[in-house]
Amino acid sequence: MLQMGVIRPSESAWASPVVLVPKPDGEIRFCVDYRKLNAVTRPDNYPMPCTDELLEKLGRAQFISTLDLTKGYWQVPLDESAKERSAFITHLGLYEFNVLPFGLRNAPATFQRLVDGLLAGLGEYAVAYLDDVAIFSDSWADHLEHLQKVLERIREAGLTVKAKKCQIGLNRVTYLGHQVGQGTISPLQAKVDAIQKWPVPKSKKQVQSFLGLAGYYRRFVPHYSQIAAPLTDLTKKKQPNAVQWTGKCQKAFNKLKATLMSDPVLRAPDFDKPFLVTTDASERGVGAVLMQKGPDQEFHPVVFLSKKPSERESNWSVTEKEFYAIVYALEKLRPYVWGRRFHLQTNHAALKWLHTVKETNKKLLRWSLALQDFDFDIQHISGASNKVADALSRESFPESTG
């Protein structure tokens, strides 16, 4: 970073600690724990784009390209007064950033302002959500021209893109958690995978787990009691623990699964309204659901998520499992919640101090730093109020979903 001019030696009165965080691709992310600085930082309320509008523009296009700006924040210079506040401590001394570091409270708003200025006047065929730039056109000739203009703007601004994360000249692309192009907009399959892959219950406890999820939304399911009757009968005291699965049970199981994947239960996201994320973890895995209030003022699911634990993950403590459920959920739900204030619910009381994790547990500290870019408040709820995420975390799905 010194050789690249990203940082310089510092004599600042400010100082934040450093943590190295492993990335999914095997690389190491250099993170600075800016939680103390963020707590006294005045928020920048620059508006984030309306995701619905971006998707609608792309959805109508016949040709689409997406560009990912490499280490986007590092392409934004800091003014002198801000540099001293970015100072961090290492075993080699004190340094400060010359460019915008990751983890600062106002980094998303600052970067969105940059890309909006970069694409000013090109709104008819180019949009951006933070570092994800999309170019869309109705004809191939137009698309080549539009792509060239955007790339020229990027070059003139001295910015760079990460080639391996770009999608060039496609009919349909993945953008902000959706598949878009050629007149269609569809959610990624992860939205319903956790329900589609729910295995046939083999024990009374597994039946109860599924009914816990379906029952939470019973007010949206006409004749719920009659449909679920063959399954609820399996949970009676006189029934054996190993359930006798019949054709009626399978029919009820299929119908309830189909209902959970359709309106009015599953709703399209409204990016003008706040989201609620609930998470849970168990010995079987982690589960999460993104929810939002509908016109009926009831919470409806937008995305279901679940994941089986690895052998290493299954040996973690309860607190580590619950914390990981939050990290996993927010990374998967990034297109929905990044850059927006949202609510996070967990039934693990200890995680109310998630924003103040100390260095006694390195794993929890790394995870806490990974969540610095998200803006949320934490609410503790009882297990009984967290039936959806709880049910998703307690089933052994055929493979990791979401």
Side-chain angles (χ1 to χ4, degrees):
M1 288 191 289
L2 275 171
Q3 292 174 351
M4 294 168 60
V6 171
I7 61 173
R8 69 185 186 186
S10 176
E11 297 180 357
S12 173
W14 296 76
S16 298
V18 166
V19 175
L20 300 179
V21 181
K23 296 169 65 175
D25 60 5
E27 295 181 5
I28 298 296
R29 175 175 291 164
F30 179 92
C31 290
V32 181
D33 183 357
Y34 283 126
R35 288 175 294 177
K36 293 289 187 181
L37 177 62
N38 288 339
V40 295
T41 299
R42 196 167 48 187
D44 180 350
N45 293 316
Y46 186 82
M48 303 300 291
C50 176
T51 311
D52 277 345
E53 292 181 4
L54 302 188
L55 293 174
E56 286 176 8
K57 288 183 176 181
L58 268 64
R60 295 191 295 266
Q62 296 300 311
F63 299 96
I64 306 173
S65 293
T66 65
L67 309 175
D68 185 90
L69 297 176
T70 305
K71 296 187 181 298
Y73 292 176
W74 281 11
Q75 301 192 50
V76 182
L78 286 182
D79 62 34
E80 288 300 317
S81 63
K83 290 179 180 179
E84 66 172 3
R85 292 173 174 80
S86 71
F88 57 90
I89 297 173
T90 76
H91 67 292
L92 297 175
L94 187 67
Y95 296 90
E96 62 190 27
F97 277 90
N98 291 315
V99 294
L100 182 64
F102 292 85
L104 288 184
R105 178 177 185 177
N106 291 330
T110 299
F111 198 79
Q112 187 63 49
R113 184 183 284 108
L114 178 146
V115 294
D116 285 351
L118 177 72
L119 301 178
L122 307 183
E124 292 184 0
Y125 53 83
V127 295
Y129 189 87
L130 292 170
D131 57 354
D132 290 322
V133 180
I135 303 96
F136 51 96
S137 317
D138 290 330
S139 73
W140 182 244
D142 286 344
H143 192 64
L144 292 178
E145 181 181 345
H146 296 161
L147 184 58
Q148 182 178 358
K149 288 183 178 179
V150 172
L151 290 173
E152 285 176 353
R153 289 278 186 98
I154 291 174
R155 182 171 57 187
E156 290 169 1
L159 304 177
T160 58
V161 299
K162 193 168 188 176
K164 68 179 182 180
K165 297 184 92 173
C166 296
Q167 305 171 92
I168 304 295
L170 303 180
N171 300 126
R172 287 176 63 78
V173 299
T174 300
Y175 192 69
L176 302 181
H178 291 74
Q179 288 285 333
V180 297
Q182 293 188 312
T184 63
I185 304 172
S186 58
L188 294 182
Q189 194 58 37
K191 185 174 183 179
V192 294
D193 262 358
I195 303 301
Q196 285 181 335
K197 295 181 180 178
W198 198 291
V200 172
K202 296 180 179 180
S203 68
K204 186 184 294 186
K205 188 173 183 180
Q206 290 175 352
V207 175
Q208 291 171 335
S209 179
F210 177 74
L211 289 176
L213 171 66
Y216 186 84
Y217 300 109
R218 63 184 299 160
R219 56 189 174 277
F220 306 120
V221 183
H223 312 297
Y224 173 85
S225 297
Q226 293 94 315
I227 297 172
L231 301 181
T232 54
D233 287 345
L234 296 177
T235 64
K236 293 179 179 179
K237 277 189 177 181
K238 62 181 181 180
Q239 296 295 330
N241 184 56
V243 299
Q244 299 298 314
W245 198 254
T246 66
K248 287 185 177 180
C249 294
Q250 186 64 45
K251 184 177 180 180
F253 184 61
N254 291 343
K255 190 163 186 178
L256 288 176
K257 282 173 63 176
T259 304
L260 289 170
M261 295 185 292
S262 62
D263 284 334
V265 177
L266 201 62
R267 290 295 177 90
D270 183 344
F271 290 94
D272 291 328
K273 296 180 180 179
F275 286 109
L276 170 67
V277 178
T278 63
T279 65
D280 187 66
S282 72
E283 69 284 352
R284 286 177 169 268
V286 300
V289 59
L290 177 70
M291 295 193 287
Q292 199 170 47
K293 279 188 177 180
D296 55 5
Q297 297 305 303
E298 299 280 1
F299 277 107
H300 294 257
V302 176
V303 179
F304 292 113
L305 295 171
S306 65
K307 180 182 182 295
K308 287 198 302 183
S310 65
E311 185 176 348
R312 175 176 57 87
E313 293 166 353
S314 62
N315 292 324
W316 288 343
S317 68
V318 173
T319 297
E320 289 173 334
K321 289 176 182 175
E322 295 283 357
F323 204 143
Y324 175 68
I326 294 174
V327 174
Y328 167 78
L330 296 191
E331 283 302 317
K332 292 295 182 181
L333 298 173
R334 180 179 288 265
Y336 298 91
V337 299
W338 198 28
R340 292 181 171 84
R341 181 76 172 173
F342 63 96
H343 306 293
L344 174 68
Q345 289 185 343
T346 173
N347 61 7
H348 192 63
L351 293 186
K352 289 188 292 185
W353 45 256
L354 182 141
H355 284 308
T356 59
V357 173
K358 304 299 183 184
E359 291 191 39
T360 53
N361 187 316
K362 298 295 185 181
K363 188 189 293 114
L364 299 188
L365 179 59
R366 289 199 309 270
W367 288 343
S368 181
L369 296 179
L371 300 181
Q372 284 186 123
D373 279 349
F374 296 95
D375 184 11
F376 60 91
D377 62 83
I378 305 171
Q379 303 168 358
H380 172 246
I381 56 174
S382 65
S385 302
N386 196 28
K387 289 184 179 179
V388 184
D390 178 80
L392 289 165
S393 74
R394 296 180 187 278
E395 281 307 309
S396 296
F397 292 90
E399 59 186 58
S400 297
T401 59

